[in-house]
Amino acid sequence: MALPGFPNPSGVADYDDRRRRARLRATRSGVGWVRWRRTRLLVLRLSLVPLVALGAFAEYMGLDVLPEQARLARTEPAVLPIAGPSDSQAGDTAVFDLVGLGVLDASDTARALPSLRRLGSVWAVRYDNAGIDTKVISDLIVKVTDAAKVPNVVLTGHSMGGVIALEIAKHLHQDSRKRVRAVILDCTPVDLNAVRPESRDQGEEMLRWMGWVPGARESRLLRLIVETYARHESFVGGRYVIRGDEFRAAVQNVLRDKILNTNAASNGLIEAQFKAIVAGGAVDDLRALSKPAAGKPRPAVVFIRPHNPYDDPIVDVEYSHKALIDQVGGVNGTLLVVTTRTTGHANPIERPQEYNTVIEQQVVPFVRQVQADEAAVFSVGGGPPGGVSGPRRGRGGGGPGRGPGRCCAGGRPARGRCN
């Protein structure tokens, strides 16, 4: 039976490769073009590239970015109970622990510091994986402490978590009835200048990529590529440039720990955490905390740092140390600087014994002393004029021209600036 348009169809026996090729030449695109034929064919082929790219982009958004956006939209911050107070004097205080860049939940860190129980019941802050809003976290802390009938709050922040802790402390100090008894900062960069150049460059590069790559804040594919490349030293090299077994192990680790783990910090959260440092609001927060507010005394401020500043490869702790002295240190200040011998950058999980020792022996007594001193000042006259407390000895980080200070090197008090 003949097909329409093919009155004499060819059979298998009539197959001729030359006829096939001639037919292909006669029916290919642009066969009738005479002028600019090659150029027109090139333009036609190149016009397919955007269509392919658009299709790939649609798949990238539909399969990778949009599902992650929907998941992150359902996340919210939380405070998780860790342990009750170990001291009867601390029953009226709650301690909230906050972690640094690239970490979502402070639970493991808070559990590594049982000495915090001397200050009050211990809670861990879990960030909203879509970003950080310190007002929302401070309102959540107020809600939780109101339910527990706890009037006093201590905030502990590790690395960038200290920047968040200072901003939350400012909200609580100025806009709530809660009393902030202390803010404990562990290797915290007070602004971007306190971040060492290598880490600063990496963070700024991340912000540039986040700014111009669509979906970069949510994309798991891009996260897989970046995290795998960050581990390239473990699998690059050898006869074939890439060592297969090590490469597969690196990819599996990234998939397990960063991509498929719903408790891993998202790209958007990491961006928000770094932007908190870039914003440089920690100095303003310290300035606000250096004065009484709404009839509440000033909180103690504690800065924990390595004795050797180069033991911290991420933060220039000397820079932060000096900035803290300028804002809350000196004879009339409420600053304590604690130096440690074996710790690095905000690593209480790796060095729990030393952290717990300095908290137990130095931080807890200091916070209680500041609390007693500030209460005495307020009980006498409701606070000195101008919102500045009277002089107090042995208080604050020392420094040239700053008067006597208290720095604790390896658990031993020392006068003057920590070197």
Side-chain angles (χ1 to χ4, degrees):
M1 177 179 178
L3 298 175
F6 296 91
N8 300 305
S10 299
V12 175
D14 300 322
Y15 175 80
D16 187 337
D17 191 57
R18 285 179 298 176
R19 291 173 57 192
R20 180 185 67 82
R21 294 185 180 185
R23 180 63 179 167
L24 288 175
R25 285 194 296 270
T27 57
R28 65 185 178 182
S29 300
V31 66
W33 295 343
V34 178
R35 300 184 60 186
W36 302 96
R37 181 174 178 276
R38 291 185 178 179
T39 303
R40 292 162 74 180
L41 284 174
L42 178 62
V43 171
L44 177 64
R45 290 165 182 167
L46 291 178
S47 67
L48 298 176
V49 175
L51 294 178
V52 174
L54 185 62
F57 179 74
E59 291 295 315
Y60 159 74
M61 294 295 292
L63 299 178
D64 186 15
V65 175
L66 295 181
E68 187 69 0
Q69 277 185 349
R71 184 184 74 84
L72 294 176
R74 297 190 295 270
T75 65
E76 57 185 6
V79 289
L80 310 173
I82 301 299
S86 62
D87 195 317
S88 58
Q89 300 180 50
D92 61 349
T93 303
V95 182
F96 294 89
D97 198 38
L98 298 100
V99 282
L101 189 70
V103 186
L104 177 66
D105 190 339
S107 296
D108 291 340
T109 305
R111 292 189 185 99
L113 298 173
S115 56
L116 291 176
R117 298 175 60 198
R118 291 283 308 280
L119 294 170
S121 57
V122 179
W123 299 71
V125 174
R126 179 186 172 93
Y127 299 126
D128 183 345
N129 216 349
I132 295 177
D133 188 330
T134 55
K135 185 63 170 66
V136 172
I137 298 175
S138 65
D139 290 345
L140 185 58
I141 289 175
V142 170
K143 182 178 178 181
V144 168
T145 51
D146 280 347
K149 295 181 171 55
V150 173
N152 304 310
V153 171
V154 172
L155 294 163
T156 302
H158 307 278
S159 187
M160 182 283 315
V163 177
I164 305 301
L166 286 170
E167 192 168 339
I168 294 171
K170 179 183 175 181
H171 287 308
L172 296 174
H173 188 56
Q174 295 184 335
D175 305 327
S176 78
R177 293 177 297 174
K178 301 299 176 183
R179 289 190 175 187
V180 181
R181 284 191 170 174
V183 181
I184 303 172
L185 308 174
D186 177 16
C187 299
T188 294
V190 294
D191 59 34
L192 191 59
N193 292 321
V195 181
R196 297 198 185 277
E198 302 82 6
S199 300
R200 187 192 316 158
D201 292 344
Q202 292 175 3
E204 291 174 339
E205 187 70 20
M206 174 194 70
L207 292 184
R208 282 192 287 270
W209 278 89
M210 292 287 189
W212 72 268
V213 177
R217 293 175 181 83
E218 299 85 10
S219 174
R220 291 161 293 182
L221 175 62
L222 293 180
R223 181 77 176 272
L224 174 63
I225 294 172
V226 171
E227 293 282 356
T228 303
Y229 176 76
R231 294 159 173 77
H232 69 276
E233 292 183 357
S234 66
F235 58 80
V236 173
R239 180 179 178 182
Y240 300 105
V241 182
I242 293 178
R243 298 189 294 272
D245 292 340
E246 288 81 355
F247 176 73
R248 282 191 293 271
V251 171
Q252 289 170 358
N253 289 337
V254 171
L255 287 172
R256 182 185 67 247
D257 298 336
K258 304 295 183 180
I259 308 303
L260 303 178
N261 181 7
T262 56
N263 290 321
S266 69
N267 301 350
L269 175 60
I270 296 172
E271 179 194 27
Q273 290 172 329
F274 188 75
K275 281 184 174 180
I277 303 173
V278 174
V283 172
D284 292 334
D285 298 333
L286 284 165
R287 193 174 295 122
L289 295 173
S290 68
K291 303 173 183 178
K296 296 178 290 187
R298 304 176 298 169
V301 178
V302 178
F303 184 50
I304 302 176
R305 49 154 290 188
H307 177 77
N308 181 355
Y310 296 103
D311 286 342
D312 188 331
I314 308 297
V315 173
D316 183 351
V317 291
E318 286 285 349
Y319 181 96
S320 289
H321 186 162
K322 294 173 183 176
L324 287 164
I325 290 173
D326 289 338
Q327 299 303 323
V328 291
V331 175
N332 299 326
T334 56
L335 173 67
L336 170 69
V337 174
V338 177
T339 62
T340 57
R341 295 293 182 181
T342 65
T343 66
H345 174 69
N347 58 341
I349 294 179
E350 288 78 18
R351 291 288 186 271
Q353 183 174 354
E354 185 162 10
Y355 270 90
N356 283 295
T357 298
V358 297
I359 291 173
E360 184 87 17
Q361 296 180 1
Q362 301 297 332
V363 176
V364 172
F366 177 77
V367 170
R368 290 178 178 173
Q369 184 62 49
V370 172
Q371 176 190 348
D373 290 350
E374 294 289 320
V377 170
F378 270 74
S379 65
V380 171
V388 179
S389 296
R392 218 165 271 109
R393 294 182 181 176
R395 178 71 52 76
R402 292 284 169 187
R406 179 183 292 176
C407 297
C408 305
R412 298 187 301 276
R415 286 188 177 275
R417 183 167 174 268
C418 293
N419 295 314

